[in-house]
Amino acid sequence: MKARVLSGVQPSGQLHIGNYLGALKSWAEIQSQYESIFCIVDLHAITVYQDPKELSEKIRETAALFIAAGIDPNHSSIVVQSAIPGHAELAWLLTCVTPLGWLYRMTQFKAKAEKQETIGDGILQYPVLMAADILIYQASIVPVGEDQSQHLELTRDIAQRFNSLYGETFVMPATHLPTVGARIMGLDDPTQKMSKSVTGTGHAIALLDDPKTIQKKIARATTDSQPAVDPDNMGPGIANLFTIAHACDPSITKQSVAGMRYGDFKKRVAQAVIARLEPIQQRYRAVTAEPSYIDAVLARGKERVLPIAQDTVAKTKRAMGVYT
Ligand code: ATP
Ligand code: MG
């Protein structure tokens, strides 16, 4: 039996080049070696208010982008989290073995709590739901961006605690980070991770941005006061643009951009990004041309993974002694 892979994206905002280089690209690369499940995690998205109509559209758009980015729906299962009731059910069972202190320690929680006056319980609890997303499929490999490493450690801690309290129930998942692009930074502020939830037109390159928009955003990206690229001493803005370019086109090396004036360098970066995104955008248009296609993919995904989820929930309930 092939090892199982699980990962997900929240259907909130517009998917960006960080989501692609940190997650989707490696999903597409490794999917054939494993039994892969890729999730549109709408229950995570609603930890902050989402316009209901927009959210239901974003779910389908995200699924279409998975396929456009190279996920093969004939081989991998593409699933909407809320279509599988076991995610929320298992999250409760796992909540009951999770010390509150573990959740307060999460840096993402701390960062979000600092920014907001009042904070929803969902923001605190969301890493437990994420643990449930992974453990419910007994996934052994989880390809994510670097920002999710801490949540994956927590997932392992929760699994270990459950297994030691109630007996071996969950497979221990390993984190899989891409070698390049595990943490893409914002174009407007290279000290902040590029995020869907950050607004501001110059922050992120969306996967569906047209070439002109991409050129403009990269031309305006924050750099530093140096005139030209010094490969041994790149400021955070230039280093981020280089990472993006190299991940999009590996023939762009430090050597190949050494001494380039920033204006020319940015044009080269934009060219690499546009070339990388063009076939993705073409596929996106093709898969969304027939509206019922995405719904059929999601229904097939659900049908494939539902029995796995039901099995794990039943096993977990039996282990805990609750009524099944
Ligand atoms: P949000 O602001 O809504 O949390 P996000 O951009 O962080 O949006 P998620 O849906 O939370 O996107 O994450 C989806 C996947 O993309 C995860 O595997 C995450 O690690 C990865 N990812 C997110 N941002 C980046 C980034 N800037 N660089 C690399 N990978 C990223
Ligand atoms: Mg995120």
Side-chain angles (χ1 to χ4, degrees):
M1 215 178 76
K2 281 183 177 174
R4 209 169 275 146
V5 161
L6 181 284
S7 199
V9 172
Q10 302 184 56
S12 52
Q14 294 190 301
L15 264 71
H16 53 71
I17 192 93
N19 300 132
Y20 176 66
L21 298 176
L24 298 179
K25 183 169 170 267
S26 38
W27 301 1
E29 283 162 3
I30 67 173
Q31 63 180 335
S32 63
Q33 302 159 47
Y34 302 102
E35 182 192 337
S36 303
I37 302 169
F38 300 114
C39 231
I40 296 129
V41 287
D42 53 348
L43 298 177
H44 287 286
I46 55 169
T47 52
V48 293
Y49 176 80
Q50 305 289 333
D51 177 82
K53 186 170 172 282
E54 229 170 84
L55 179 62
S56 66
E57 286 163 8
K58 282 281 167 202
I59 289 170
R60 288 175 180 81
E61 180 184 310
T62 307
L65 278 169
F66 284 9
I67 301 168
I71 307 307
D72 174 4
N74 294 321
H75 176 79
S76 304
S77 302
I78 301 178
V79 199
V80 184
Q81 181 187 32
S82 61
I84 311 290
H87 286 251
E89 195 177 2
L90 185 62
W92 174 252
L93 302 175
L94 297 178
T95 294
C96 295
V97 302
T98 307
L100 204 45
W102 289 6
L103 300 178
Y104 282 133
R105 263 208 303 276
M106 295 296 107
T107 50
Q108 252 190 31
F109 169 72
K110 285 196 277 193
K112 285 185 179 167
E114 261 170 29
K115 271 195 227 150
Q116 294 163 28
E117 243 170 59
T118 59
I119 188 150
D121 185 25
I123 302 280
L124 179 70
Q125 297 295 332
Y126 125 88
V128 184
L129 178 58
M130 179 167 157
D133 299 337
I134 297 164
L135 301 177
I136 200 166
Y137 298 116
Q138 308 286 0
S140 49
I141 294 148
V142 187
V144 284
E146 200 236 311
D147 64 303
Q148 292 304 326
S149 294
Q150 195 188 29
H151 292 151
L152 267 163
E153 256 169 61
L154 178 82
T155 299
R156 286 188 286 273
D157 287 344
I158 292 173
Q160 213 146 37
R161 189 169 160 97
F162 189 99
N163 285 351
S164 71
L165 281 171
Y166 295 111
E168 281 304 309
T169 307
F170 299 114
V171 167
M172 216 50 71
T175 311
H176 174 98
L177 296 181
T179 42
V180 187
R183 190 175 181 83
I184 299 298
M185 311 308 277
L187 297 184
D188 54 345
D189 178 0
T191 64
Q192 297 291 322
K193 181 190 89 72
M194 189 180 281
S195 292
K196 284 189 257 95
S197 55
V198 173
T199 46
T201 47
H203 173 72
I205 298 167
L207 296 185
L208 297 176
D209 274 347
D210 59 62
K212 272 223 168 78
T213 307
I214 295 172
Q215 273 161 357
K216 238 190 264 169
K217 284 180 177 175
I218 292 177
R220 288 184 193 151
T222 303
T223 52
D224 50 58
S225 54
Q226 300 297 312
V229 180
D230 175 358
D232 301 320
N233 190 19
M234 290 185 183
I238 292 294
N240 187 44
L241 289 177
F242 174 75
T243 302
I244 293 172
H246 179 66
C248 286
D249 176 357
S251 79
I252 300 179
T253 57
K254 283 192 174 177
Q255 239 174 351
S256 76
V257 297
M260 252 191 197
R261 301 191 64 81
Y262 282 176
D264 295 331
F265 171 65
K266 282 176 159 182
K267 280 187 194 136
R268 184 75 191 90
V269 176
Q271 202 182 40
V273 172
I274 291 165
R276 185 84 204 191
L277 294 187
E278 195 193 74
I280 295 176
Q281 297 181 354
Q282 256 171 28
R283 272 200 299 269
Y284 178 81
R285 285 191 288 271
V287 297
T288 51
E290 172 53 66
S292 62
Y293 173 68
I294 295 297
D295 283 318
V297 165
L298 295 175
R300 189 149 39 111
K302 175 180 173 178
E303 199 183 317
R304 280 200 207 128
V305 308
L306 188 63
I308 309 171
Q310 284 171 333
D311 249 25
T312 305
V313 171
K315 190 175 171 192
T316 311
K317 286 170 93 177
R318 276 197 303 273
M320 294 179 97
V322 298
Y323 192 72
T324 53

